[in-house]
Amino acid sequence: MHPEVQKMREIVLIYLDRSGGLQKFVHDCKKYNDSKQSYAVYRFIISINPSDIAELDATLGNYILHNPIQAAQIFQSVCFVAIKTLSLIEQLQTEAQISILLKPTHLPPLPSYILNLSAFPFNYTSQRFYESEGIVIAMGTITKYTQGARFLCTGETCPFSEGFRYIRVHLPGATESATVRNDFVCSLCSSPLQEDMKFRVLGDKQIVEMIDAKALNALKGYSNNKSHFRIQTFTVFLRDDLANRMTIGNHYKIIGIPACVQNGSQATVCIEVSSVQQRKPNGPTFISDNFKHLLSLTSSSCWRFTAILANIFASQVVPPGTYNTLKLTILLSLVLTCEKDNEIADYLDLLIVTSDTLIIDRLLNYSICLLPRGIRHPSSSEFFPAVSKDKHGTGSASIQACSALLAKGGICYIGDLSSYKKDKLEFLQSVLESRTTTIFIPGKKYGEEADQQVTLPVQTNFWSYVDVDASSKKHTQRASSLIGQMDLSLISPNLLDVFGLLIYNEFPSCRLSFPLVHHILKKAINPEAMLYRVSQQFRTQDYEEFILFAKNLHVELSSEAENLIQGYYLASRRVRRDAIHGSKLSASALKILISLSKAHTKLSLRKKVLEEDALIAILLLESSLTLKHGKSALCVAPNAVFPFDLSDENSLKQRDIYLMQCHHQLLKFIGAYSPGIHVNTTEE
Ligand SMILES: [Zn+2]
């Protein structure tokens, strides 16, 4: 034996002893021994801390990181000797029966250990550990693979016609046929080998497709004509205990060994994963000094900061001061996104009624790009997960994420709502109601015995618009229309109802404002032009950071805000009622009010939801209800949140006075229609 190998074996034993690995190994052996059953393969998972082992012996550390398959063989023989010396497993006969899986706890934080999925060339031939990360875009059902098998020589007199000489185990990147096949021959007598089927060991296998996070940029709003792109995925194998450790749409960091799988004439690069870790979304970062300065300047009122924020937002697309209500709701929806799992999330879906579809589309496109997960749904594909056949030759089912799941924790912008067929819209409605989607996988079609049903959460805000001109052209005007109500007969009332907010933008195209025309013309001549000073002071990147910061704030409802919301909700349910259908206000309205209030608090960079936040939420919802059902006794102005232009300090003061009057009016409304609710009425 090579002296270096002998030395490494000794160090392996020392490492196992010191790291507690030996204790775990003895425990695992005991389980096999107690079962009294004879297996073809005894499988052990050994956790390796690369820094500890490199400190103990650099050669061995290097060997594990760069030749993991050969290094596992060293562990294999050490473990075999240990089992035999200490009589740990009575049934074990040969060293070939031991299968060792080395799992590094981490890799050295050096560039050479990172496999960048978007970089070329892609080194998949070295068969060593790499760290990589990406987003799960498709996920297969769990199928079986052969972990290990026992073969026997068919030569009757050959000593290898019994015993455990020919044991084959799965190695990273190997296909099923590499482990079990019928053309193996005996090395002693050259007779064909035959598998002893009763010893076959099966494990779980799941095939996952991932993409580099940068690939999502292709699904953002940067280009309009995107029919010609294809997203390159890479295949990841999750085996045994790792199966089901990933969720579709999530971002993961993995450690694994790249391999090249031959499937007929096609070769696919894949990664055999040895550890999976969900990548935590970036926590609160920081906000630019200009925002901080603005916050301090506006501290005298709870309404001014967000008013200015909305007023100057997206000045790259529309002039400051235009579309303020819409821009405010966009910002509210942006800060109501949450990338974390297991958190009760708030959602705010927006439906914009407009005749300026081009400008609205630009504005929404611009806004989704501010989030890491802002997805513009390509109209040719599906919103929601779909099932297809796995392309790696297994024929099993694979679930494709599609836009809604890729937009997890972000925004899914689906464009013109009226461009979709009725069945798609009905499906959208049911998903918005339940925030889940269920996929049916017929067993027969995908080689399984039983049918399967998979329910997946849909954690994203949906944005869409409807062209009001097309709506009124295609349909004859409704016979009776209430004051303030829009003619939206193109969209079913139930679908309208599931969108949190319905917004009607202020500028119909027939009378485009002068600043807007000026903006469009200037931009057409020079798309890169900075037309306003605020675009430099508050850049797109500043808003990006601001939103990331604001959305991660944890906010709490104050009892005053809660009372106001509750009072309005109950009063509103009472006044918006007809004899036949009962109240037009669904229970989801209460949820939307709370979400909106929280969003306004986050946008104000505060942590406690105040009455002032609740008032903005109520005015926005009441405007939305007015569009759907006509005016109520509360009777809000058409642009309830921004009744006039914000040109200077004085107009901000005026707006504060106006909002205080609204508050007063709201209290009277609650007092009249929801008398049981106690609200603070100490105002003048
Ligand atoms: Zn033989």
Side-chain angles (χ1 to χ4, degrees):
M1 191 196 299
H2 201 284
E4 210 170 45
V5 173
Q6 182 54 40
K7 192 178 166 235
M8 281 201 272
R9 284 186 183 177
E10 282 161 20
I11 293 162
V12 162
L13 195 61
I14 296 170
Y15 176 74
L16 286 177
D17 189 28
R18 286 192 191 169
S19 66
L22 198 60
Q23 214 177 350
K24 184 185 172 285
F25 173 72
V26 171
H27 179 78
D28 292 348
C29 286
K30 195 173 178 308
K31 273 197 276 179
Y32 277 123
N33 197 46
D34 290 351
S35 78
K36 300 284 175 225
Q37 211 182 325
S38 178
Y39 297 93
V41 178
Y42 298 83
R43 203 162 164 271
F44 300 97
I45 294 169
I46 294 175
S47 171
I48 299 287
N49 184 324
S51 1
D52 288 355
I53 213 157
E55 205 155 297
L56 201 61
D57 183 79
T59 316
L60 180 65
N62 195 46
Y63 202 54
I64 290 170
L65 289 175
H66 300 105
N67 294 298
I69 296 168
Q70 289 85 337
Q73 285 167 7
I74 295 182
F75 279 80
Q76 185 183 356
S77 48
V78 171
C79 291
F80 179 69
V81 173
I83 290 172
K84 282 290 144 196
T85 325
L86 304 170
S87 309
L88 294 173
I89 303 173
E90 298 295 338
Q91 314 92 299
L92 179 82
Q93 296 190 18
T94 64
E95 191 178 313
Q97 284 175 276
I98 293 174
S99 164
I100 302 285
L101 259 95
L102 298 181
K103 296 203 169 186
T105 52
H106 64 280
L107 294 183
L110 297 167
S112 61
Y113 291 97
I114 290 168
L115 197 68
N116 189 335
L117 300 163
S118 61
F120 188 82
F122 194 83
N123 186 4
Y124 52 86
T125 50
S126 56
Q127 291 226 324
R128 69 168 172 94
F129 287 116
Y130 282 96
E131 189 179 286
S132 196
E133 61 177 83
I135 293 163
V136 178
I137 192 173
M139 185 161 240
T141 48
I142 293 176
T143 54
K144 293 287 173 197
Y145 81 102
T146 307
Q147 231 179 46
R150 175 204 200 188
F151 283 79
L152 293 170
C153 178
T154 49
E156 276 172 29
T157 53
C158 178
F160 297 149
S161 63
E162 51 181 34
F164 291 87
R165 160 84 189 188
Y166 296 115
I167 300 295
R168 300 191 61 83
V169 292
H170 169 82
L171 286 181
T175 54
E176 191 69 11
S177 66
T179 318
V180 283
R181 233 178 21 229
N182 52 20
D183 60 351
F184 299 123
V185 291
C186 175
S187 58
L188 198 65
C189 68
S190 296
S191 305
L193 295 184
Q194 197 175 33
E195 191 192 343
D196 181 4
M197 285 301 286
K198 64 177 187 291
F199 274 93
R200 186 182 276 201
V201 188
L202 294 177
D204 287 339
K205 172 181 83 172
Q206 190 173 30
I207 301 177
V208 170
E209 301 278 332
M210 290 178 98
I211 53 168
D212 190 278
K214 282 201 235 42
L216 287 184
N217 287 340
L219 293 166
K220 287 193 173 173
Y222 294 127
S223 93
N224 282 322
N225 187 10
K226 284 174 297 187
S227 51
H228 305 300
F229 76 86
R230 170 177 173 267
I231 291 179
Q232 177 72 53
T233 64
F234 65 98
T235 308
V236 160
F237 284 95
L238 298 178
R239 295 187 195 266
D240 308 304
D241 55 316
L242 292 180
N244 267 344
R245 282 280 296 276
M246 286 186 174
T247 306
I248 199 160
N250 279 1
H251 193 161
Y252 292 97
K253 214 178 224 180
I254 52 172
I255 294 176
I257 301 174
C260 197
V261 174
Q262 201 72 31
N263 175 20
S265 61
Q266 276 206 324
T268 316
V269 175
C270 64
I271 297 180
E272 285 268 352
V273 177
S274 66
S275 86
V276 172
Q277 202 187 355
Q278 190 176 350
R279 203 173 153 246
K280 295 274 177 292
N282 298 330
T285 46
F286 54 92
I287 53 172
S288 75
D289 290 341
N290 284 332
F291 277 125
K292 281 183 201 153
H293 186 58
L294 183 64
L295 189 65
S296 66
L297 282 180
T298 53
S299 57
S300 59
S301 145
C302 290
W303 292 310
R304 290 191 191 183
F305 181 65
T306 53
I308 295 173
L309 222 53
N311 196 59
I312 59 176
F313 176 59
S315 61
Q316 289 79 356
V317 190
V318 290
T322 58
Y323 302 99
N324 279 358
T325 307
L326 176 58
K327 288 190 293 182
L328 178 66
T329 54
I330 285 175
L331 287 168
L332 293 175
S333 184
L334 286 171
V335 296
L336 272 188
T337 53
C338 173
E339 288 153 67
K340 290 181 194 114
D341 273 352
N342 315 320
E343 205 162 289
I344 301 159
D346 295 293
Y347 298 101
L348 183 59
D349 306 309
L350 305 179
L351 181 61
I352 298 125
V353 183
T354 181
S355 46
D356 290 335
T357 54
L358 185 72
I359 294 162
I360 296 304
D361 187 53
R362 283 181 191 164
L363 188 56
L364 295 178
N365 254 341
Y366 169 83
S367 306
I368 57 168
C369 294
L370 300 174
L371 287 180
R373 295 284 190 105
I375 302 289
R376 199 210 155 106
H377 171 68
S379 53
S380 55
S381 66
E382 298 288 329
F383 300 141
F384 300 114
V387 188
S388 64
K389 249 191 182 122
D390 169 65
K391 54 181 192 287
H392 299 88
T394 59
S396 57
S398 177
I399 300 168
Q400 308 290 318
C402 301
S403 309
L405 294 194
L406 279 182
K408 184 174 181 171
I411 308 284
C412 183
Y413 170 38
I414 59 175
D416 186 353
L417 198 62
S418 53
S419 69
Y420 297 100
K421 290 213 171 77
K422 198 169 164 252
D423 58 329
K424 263 198 175 180
L425 294 180
E426 278 170 2
F427 196 51
L428 175 68
Q429 186 194 321
S430 76
V431 171
L432 288 182
E433 274 164 5
S434 64
R435 292 282 161 191
T436 60
T437 176
T438 301
I439 303 140
F440 179 72
I441 305 170
K444 226 178 192 174
K445 193 173 168 189
Y446 297 103
E448 295 283 328
E449 277 166 24
D451 295 340
Q452 266 191 77
Q453 211 156 302
V454 183
T455 299
L456 297 164
V458 177
Q459 296 157 304
T460 183
N461 288 335
F462 286 89
W463 289 357
S464 186
Y465 65 80
V466 198
D467 186 348
V468 72
D469 290 347
S471 179
S472 51
K473 254 176 245 159
K474 276 187 202 161
H475 294 256
T476 46
Q477 198 77 17
R478 231 188 318 219
S480 67
S481 184
L482 300 162
I483 300 166
Q485 191 178 16
M486 289 228 72
D487 177 31
L488 290 163
S489 35
L490 200 62
I491 308 295
S492 87
N494 291 337
L495 184 58
L496 279 182
D497 222 37
V498 291
F499 274 91
L501 274 188
L502 188 66
I503 303 136
Y504 178 56
N505 86 64
E506 309 97 300
F507 294 100
S509 56
C510 53
R511 45 182 181 89
L512 279 181
S513 68
F514 172 73
L516 189 59
V517 174
H518 178 82
H519 179 98
I520 295 168
L521 292 176
K522 280 271 188 187
K523 279 279 177 181
I525 297 164
N526 181 7
E528 302 301 318
M530 284 272 193
L531 299 182
Y532 319 99
R533 217 158 62 93
V534 285
S535 313
Q536 263 161 334
Q537 283 173 322
F538 301 95
R539 298 164 305 159
T540 303
Q541 193 198 333
D542 297 331
Y543 266 95
E544 231 171 272
E545 286 159 2
F546 177 85
I547 288 160
L548 191 64
F549 182 88
K551 72 186 227 173
N552 281 304
L553 291 174
H554 283 271
V555 297
E556 262 173 53
L557 223 56
S558 68
S559 56
E560 294 83 14
E562 205 173 339
N563 281 341
L564 196 66
I565 291 169
Q566 203 114 44
Y568 163 77
Y569 174 71
L570 292 177
S572 209
R573 270 184 74 84
R574 190 168 293 177
V575 296
R576 292 191 179 278
R577 179 188 291 277
D578 65 37
I580 313 155
H581 303 100
S583 181
K584 290 169 186 158
L585 213 62
S586 62
S588 63
L590 186 61
K591 238 184 134 194
I592 294 163
L593 280 171
I594 293 171
S595 300
L596 271 171
S597 313
K598 281 183 176 172
H600 191 264
T601 311
K602 286 184 178 199
L603 204 59
S604 312
L605 304 178
R606 280 184 278 107
K607 293 193 168 173
K608 191 140 220 151
V609 182
L610 306 174
E611 277 181 297
E612 284 87 342
D613 302 306
L615 179 73
I616 298 288
I618 289 166
L619 291 176
L620 287 171
L621 187 76
E622 183 62 29
S623 306
S624 169
L625 292 172
T626 305
L627 291 174
K628 288 181 197 169
H629 311 294
K631 276 201 189 304
S632 78
L634 184 59
C635 202
V636 293
N639 281 326
V641 181
F642 292 99
F644 33 76
D645 288 345
L646 301 179
S647 47
D648 52 15
E649 173 101 30
N650 193 39
S651 54
L652 283 167
K653 250 183 222 155
Q654 264 188 302
R655 182 173 177 263
D656 284 350
I657 294 166
Y658 158 81
L659 288 171
M660 278 190 275
Q661 284 165 352
C662 287
H663 189 191
H664 195 64
Q665 206 185 331
L666 176 64
L667 293 177
K668 279 208 290 198
F669 172 72
I670 296 171
Y673 297 96
S674 180
I677 292 286
H678 171 76
V679 280
N680 188 10
T681 46
T682 50
E683 264 176 81
E684 298 152 30

